[in-house]
């Protein structure tokens, strides 16, 4: 079919959308750990090809091929909804999408092959696309609010696009049906192609930005956490603790250093796999007894360190005592009658004080606990008298 200058100009938008889909396919192929990029690529591919296909049709062919082009748009909307649902980990409601899609295709077929009505087809398709796209939005809105800013922006732009898609047919009413006699050159089609390209570019940028942000966050998390216990490692603990001990609002601050008793015997007697299970058990116990603002780290080997903010020595002793008792009651951690035990040393960290000095002091107290028979807690008597 011959292409006039206006059609060639309007092909820029669908061509750009297809190129964006190829870019997403490439990024996903290189990494393959963000499936939503593949899904979004499929969405853009179906949308771009459908826009391009319809742009090449003349007025007499629009009705004949409306079901085919409509199927392409519906698949694009479905893949777009799947991409967003996969990104946020919520259901995409495929059965409801299928029902909407089949109903819409039936309407398109009837009002193109039986009773030709372009205006009604435009309205039916626009509403169906918007409904399919918006299906994951309520579940995403109910998710916990603690999300990255980019994800929040992505969500609201997506919601805006869904609303835009459903309201776009209203533009046709404002212009009057006579404008549609030359469909491809109508204002409605120009708005459709340019609007689709704009939103597709925004989605591609935001989805890629979210993928990069998640990758960086994952690398940072791997760098800062011990892979076995998932606690902070020594370097991350020291970095985080330095900022906390200089915050007056977090005083008093207590520091506790703990060490699993007879850990070498556990490894020698039952092997390192059992030792790893013990480390995991102790780390879970510690995390269950502290707050989000406190720090817990695997400081090295079988040694752990806790930084407890807004906590004096007396209160820190109570927290550590609960940890010690829970560790003792972990019968599944040992294969003999001898209980699993842990010893602690506790001291205070004054405002702007030396973190290394506090760790050294807590370490000395820990060794006092070890020397006194293990399974004990030794508290800094100087710090205790000051806070008491």
């Amino acid at each position: 079919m011959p292409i006039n200058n206006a059609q060639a100009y309007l092909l820029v938008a669908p061509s750009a959308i297809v190129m964006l889909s190829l870019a997403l396919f490439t990024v996903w192929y290189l990494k393959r750990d963000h499936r939503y990029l593949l899904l979004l690529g499929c969405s853009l591919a179906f949308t771009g090809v459908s826009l391009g296909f319809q742009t090449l049709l003349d007025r007499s062919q629009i009705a004949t091929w409306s079901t085919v082009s409509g199927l392409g748009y519906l698949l694009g909307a479905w893949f777009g909804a799947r991409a967003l649902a996969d990104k946020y980990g919520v259901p995409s409601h495929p059965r409801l999408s299928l029902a909407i899609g089949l109903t819409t295709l039936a309407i398109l077929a009837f009002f193109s092959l039986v009773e030709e009505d372009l205006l009604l087809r435009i309205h039916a398709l626009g509403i169906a696309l918007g409904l399919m796209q918006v299906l994951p939005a309520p579940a995403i809105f109910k998710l916990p609010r603690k999300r990255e800013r980019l994800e929040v922006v992505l969500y609201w732009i997506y919601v805006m696009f869904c609303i835009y898609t459903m309201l776009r047919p209203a533009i046709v009413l404002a212009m009057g049906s006579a404008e549609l006699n030359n469909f491809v050159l109508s204002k409605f089609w120009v708005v459709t192609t340019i609007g689709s390209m704009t939103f597709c570019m925004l989605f591609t940028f935001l989805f890629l930005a979210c993928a990069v942000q998640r990758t960086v966050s994952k690398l940072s998390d791997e760098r800062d956490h011990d892979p076995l216990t998932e606690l902070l490692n020594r370097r991350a603990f020291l970095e985080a603790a330095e900022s906390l001990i200089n915050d007056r609002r977090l005083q008093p601050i207590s520091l506790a250093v703990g060490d699993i008793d007879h850990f070498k015997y556990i490894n020698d007697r039952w092997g390192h796999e059992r030792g790893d299970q013990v480390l995991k058990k102790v780390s879970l116990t510690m995390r269950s007894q502290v707050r989000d603002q406190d720090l817990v780290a695997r400081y090295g080997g079988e040694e752990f360190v806790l930084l407890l903010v807004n906590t004096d020595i007396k209160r820190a002793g109570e927290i550590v005592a609960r940890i010690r008792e829970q560790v003792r009651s972990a019968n599944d951690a040992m294969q003999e009658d001898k209980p699993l035990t842990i010893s602690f040393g506790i001291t205070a960290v004054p405002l702007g004080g030396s973190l290394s000095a506090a760790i050294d002091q807590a370490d000395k107290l820990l060794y006092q606990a070890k020397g006194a028979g293990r399974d004990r807690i030794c508290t800094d008597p100087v710090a205790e008298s000051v806070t008491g």
Side-chain angles (χ1 to χ4, degrees), residues 67-83:
T67 307
V68 175
S69 58
L71 176 61
Y73 290 130
L74 290 167
L75 287 172
W78 183 74
F79 274 111
R82 281 290 307 275

PDB file of all heavy atoms in Angstrom, residues 67-83:
ATOM      1  N   THR A  67     -10.327  -5.729  14.299  1.00  0.00           N
ATOM      2  CA  THR A  67     -10.175  -6.799  15.288  1.00  0.00           C
ATOM      3  C   THR A  67      -8.710  -7.186  15.455  1.00  0.00           C
ATOM      4  O   THR A  67      -8.241  -7.426  16.579  1.00  0.00           O
ATOM      5  CB  THR A  67     -10.990  -8.038  14.879  1.00  0.00           C
ATOM      6  OG1 THR A  67     -12.349  -7.651  14.639  1.00  0.00           O
ATOM      7  CG2 THR A  67     -10.967  -9.086  15.975  1.00  0.00           C
ATOM      8  N   VAL A  68      -7.962  -7.217  14.357  1.00  0.00           N
ATOM      9  CA  VAL A  68      -6.533  -7.562  14.417  1.00  0.00           C
ATOM     10  C   VAL A  68      -5.748  -6.499  15.169  1.00  0.00           C
ATOM     11  O   VAL A  68      -4.954  -6.799  16.071  1.00  0.00           O
ATOM     12  CB  VAL A  68      -5.962  -7.751  12.999  1.00  0.00           C
ATOM     13  CG1 VAL A  68      -4.447  -7.989  13.058  1.00  0.00           C
ATOM     14  CG2 VAL A  68      -6.654  -8.900  12.298  1.00  0.00           C
ATOM     15  N   SER A  69      -5.961  -5.241  14.790  1.00  0.00           N
ATOM     16  CA  SER A  69      -5.251  -4.160  15.483  1.00  0.00           C
ATOM     17  C   SER A  69      -5.683  -4.077  16.948  1.00  0.00           C
ATOM     18  O   SER A  69      -4.867  -3.828  17.841  1.00  0.00           O
ATOM     19  CB  SER A  69      -5.494  -2.824  14.780  1.00  0.00           C
ATOM     20  OG  SER A  69      -6.871  -2.523  14.728  1.00  0.00           O
ATOM     21  N   GLY A  70      -6.999  -4.314  17.191  1.00  0.00           N
ATOM     22  CA  GLY A  70      -7.489  -4.296  18.566  1.00  0.00           C
ATOM     23  C   GLY A  70      -6.829  -5.373  19.416  1.00  0.00           C
ATOM     24  O   GLY A  70      -6.488  -5.148  20.585  1.00  0.00           O
ATOM     25  N   LEU A  71      -6.628  -6.558  18.827  1.00  0.00           N
ATOM     26  CA  LEU A  71      -5.946  -7.636  19.543  1.00  0.00           C
ATOM     27  C   LEU A  71      -4.526  -7.214  19.925  1.00  0.00           C
ATOM     28  O   LEU A  71      -4.053  -7.487  21.041  1.00  0.00           O
ATOM     29  CB  LEU A  71      -5.917  -8.893  18.676  1.00  0.00           C
ATOM     30  CG  LEU A  71      -5.142 -10.095  19.260  1.00  0.00           C
ATOM     31  CD1 LEU A  71      -5.767 -10.545  20.574  1.00  0.00           C
ATOM     32  CD2 LEU A  71      -5.093 -11.245  18.238  1.00  0.00           C
ATOM     33  N   GLY A  72      -3.842  -6.533  19.009  1.00  0.00           N
ATOM     34  CA  GLY A  72      -2.486  -6.061  19.306  1.00  0.00           C
ATOM     35  C   GLY A  72      -2.466  -5.071  20.456  1.00  0.00           C
ATOM     36  O   GLY A  72      -1.623  -5.173  21.365  1.00  0.00           O
ATOM     37  N   TYR A  73      -3.411  -4.135  20.458  1.00  0.00           N
ATOM     38  CA  TYR A  73      -3.490  -3.157  21.559  1.00  0.00           C
ATOM     39  C   TYR A  73      -3.808  -3.835  22.890  1.00  0.00           C
ATOM     40  O   TYR A  73      -3.247  -3.480  23.934  1.00  0.00           O
ATOM     41  CB  TYR A  73      -4.567  -2.118  21.249  1.00  0.00           C
ATOM     42  CG  TYR A  73      -4.227  -1.180  20.122  1.00  0.00           C
ATOM     43  CD1 TYR A  73      -5.126  -0.962  19.079  1.00  0.00           C
ATOM     44  CD2 TYR A  73      -3.013  -0.504  20.090  1.00  0.00           C
ATOM     45  CE1 TYR A  73      -4.821  -0.105  18.041  1.00  0.00           C
ATOM     46  CE2 TYR A  73      -2.702   0.360  19.043  1.00  0.00           C
ATOM     47  CZ  TYR A  73      -3.608   0.547  18.023  1.00  0.00           C
ATOM     48  OH  TYR A  73      -3.306   1.397  16.992  1.00  0.00           O
ATOM     49  N   LEU A  74      -4.722  -4.806  22.855  1.00  0.00           N
ATOM     50  CA  LEU A  74      -5.107  -5.506  24.085  1.00  0.00           C
ATOM     51  C   LEU A  74      -3.939  -6.310  24.648  1.00  0.00           C
ATOM     52  O   LEU A  74      -3.719  -6.339  25.863  1.00  0.00           O
ATOM     53  CB  LEU A  74      -6.302  -6.423  23.816  1.00  0.00           C
ATOM     54  CG  LEU A  74      -7.628  -5.714  23.546  1.00  0.00           C
ATOM     55  CD1 LEU A  74      -8.665  -6.688  22.988  1.00  0.00           C
ATOM     56  CD2 LEU A  74      -8.161  -5.048  24.812  1.00  0.00           C
ATOM     57  N   LEU A  75      -3.182  -6.951  23.762  1.00  0.00           N
ATOM     58  CA  LEU A  75      -1.994  -7.674  24.222  1.00  0.00           C
ATOM     59  C   LEU A  75      -0.962  -6.713  24.809  1.00  0.00           C
ATOM     60  O   LEU A  75      -0.311  -7.020  25.816  1.00  0.00           O
ATOM     61  CB  LEU A  75      -1.385  -8.474  23.072  1.00  0.00           C
ATOM     62  CG  LEU A  75      -2.152  -9.735  22.639  1.00  0.00           C
ATOM     63  CD1 LEU A  75      -1.554 -10.322  21.367  1.00  0.00           C
ATOM     64  CD2 LEU A  75      -2.129 -10.773  23.767  1.00  0.00           C
ATOM     65  N   GLY A  76      -0.828  -5.545  24.178  1.00  0.00           N
ATOM     66  CA  GLY A  76       0.084  -4.540  24.720  1.00  0.00           C
ATOM     67  C   GLY A  76      -0.327  -4.090  26.112  1.00  0.00           C
ATOM     68  O   GLY A  76       0.505  -3.961  27.012  1.00  0.00           O
ATOM     69  N   ALA A  77      -1.631  -3.865  26.299  1.00  0.00           N
ATOM     70  CA  ALA A  77      -2.141  -3.460  27.611  1.00  0.00           C
ATOM     71  C   ALA A  77      -1.953  -4.563  28.642  1.00  0.00           C
ATOM     72  O   ALA A  77      -1.586  -4.305  29.798  1.00  0.00           O
ATOM     73  CB  ALA A  77      -3.621  -3.079  27.508  1.00  0.00           C
ATOM     74  N   TRP A  78      -2.200  -5.819  28.233  1.00  0.00           N
ATOM     75  CA  TRP A  78      -2.063  -6.935  29.165  1.00  0.00           C
ATOM     76  C   TRP A  78      -0.618  -7.116  29.610  1.00  0.00           C
ATOM     77  O   TRP A  78      -0.340  -7.276  30.801  1.00  0.00           O
ATOM     78  CB  TRP A  78      -2.579  -8.211  28.512  1.00  0.00           C
ATOM     79  CG  TRP A  78      -2.531  -9.385  29.444  1.00  0.00           C
ATOM     80  CD1 TRP A  78      -3.361  -9.633  30.502  1.00  0.00           C
ATOM     81  CD2 TRP A  78      -1.589 -10.462  29.409  1.00  0.00           C
ATOM     82  NE1 TRP A  78      -2.993 -10.801  31.128  1.00  0.00           N
ATOM     83  CE2 TRP A  78      -1.907 -11.336  30.479  1.00  0.00           C
ATOM     84  CE3 TRP A  78      -0.514 -10.781  28.574  1.00  0.00           C
ATOM     85  CZ2 TRP A  78      -1.193 -12.503  30.733  1.00  0.00           C
ATOM     86  CZ3 TRP A  78       0.200 -11.943  28.826  1.00  0.00           C
ATOM     87  CH2 TRP A  78      -0.143 -12.780  29.896  1.00  0.00           C
ATOM     88  N   PHE A  79       0.305  -7.063  28.664  1.00  0.00           N
ATOM     89  CA  PHE A  79       1.720  -7.199  29.014  1.00  0.00           C
ATOM     90  C   PHE A  79       2.178  -6.023  29.880  1.00  0.00           C
ATOM     91  O   PHE A  79       3.012  -6.192  30.778  1.00  0.00           O
ATOM     92  CB  PHE A  79       2.582  -7.309  27.757  1.00  0.00           C
ATOM     93  CG  PHE A  79       2.703  -8.702  27.225  1.00  0.00           C
ATOM     94  CD1 PHE A  79       2.103  -9.058  26.031  1.00  0.00           C
ATOM     95  CD2 PHE A  79       3.418  -9.663  27.924  1.00  0.00           C
ATOM     96  CE1 PHE A  79       2.214 -10.351  25.529  1.00  0.00           C
ATOM     97  CE2 PHE A  79       3.544 -10.958  27.438  1.00  0.00           C
ATOM     98  CZ  PHE A  79       2.931 -11.307  26.240  1.00  0.00           C
ATOM     99  N   GLY A  80       1.637  -4.820  29.625  1.00  0.00           N
ATOM    100  CA  GLY A  80       1.983  -3.670  30.449  1.00  0.00           C
ATOM    101  C   GLY A  80       1.524  -3.842  31.887  1.00  0.00           C
ATOM    102  O   GLY A  80       2.249  -3.537  32.837  1.00  0.00           O
ATOM    103  N   ALA A  81       0.283  -4.350  32.049  1.00  0.00           N
ATOM    104  CA  ALA A  81      -0.224  -4.606  33.398  1.00  0.00           C
ATOM    105  C   ALA A  81       0.584  -5.694  34.085  1.00  0.00           C
ATOM    106  O   ALA A  81       0.882  -5.613  35.285  1.00  0.00           O
ATOM    107  CB  ALA A  81      -1.702  -5.005  33.323  1.00  0.00           C
ATOM    108  N   ARG A  82       0.971  -6.743  33.316  1.00  0.00           N
ATOM    109  CA  ARG A  82       1.800  -7.806  33.883  1.00  0.00           C
ATOM    110  C   ARG A  82       3.165  -7.265  34.326  1.00  0.00           C
ATOM    111  O   ARG A  82       3.705  -7.683  35.356  1.00  0.00           O
ATOM    112  CB  ARG A  82       2.014  -8.917  32.846  1.00  0.00           C
ATOM    113  CG  ARG A  82       0.854  -9.864  32.676  1.00  0.00           C
ATOM    114  CD  ARG A  82       0.672 -10.773  33.883  1.00  0.00           C
ATOM    115  NE  ARG A  82       1.893 -11.473  34.240  1.00  0.00           N
ATOM    116  CZ  ARG A  82       2.304 -12.612  33.694  1.00  0.00           C
ATOM    117  NH1 ARG A  82       1.562 -13.189  32.741  1.00  0.00           N
ATOM    118  NH2 ARG A  82       3.411 -13.204  34.090  1.00  0.00           N
ATOM    119  N   ALA A  83       3.717  -6.358  33.529  1.00  0.00           N
ATOM    120  CA  ALA A  83       5.020  -5.785  33.881  1.00  0.00           C
ATOM    121  C   ALA A  83       4.947  -5.026  35.200  1.00  0.00           C
ATOM    122  O   ALA A  83       5.809  -5.178  36.072  1.00  0.00           O
ATOM    123  CB  ALA A  83       5.503  -4.860  32.763  1.00  0.00           C
TER     124      ALA A  83
END
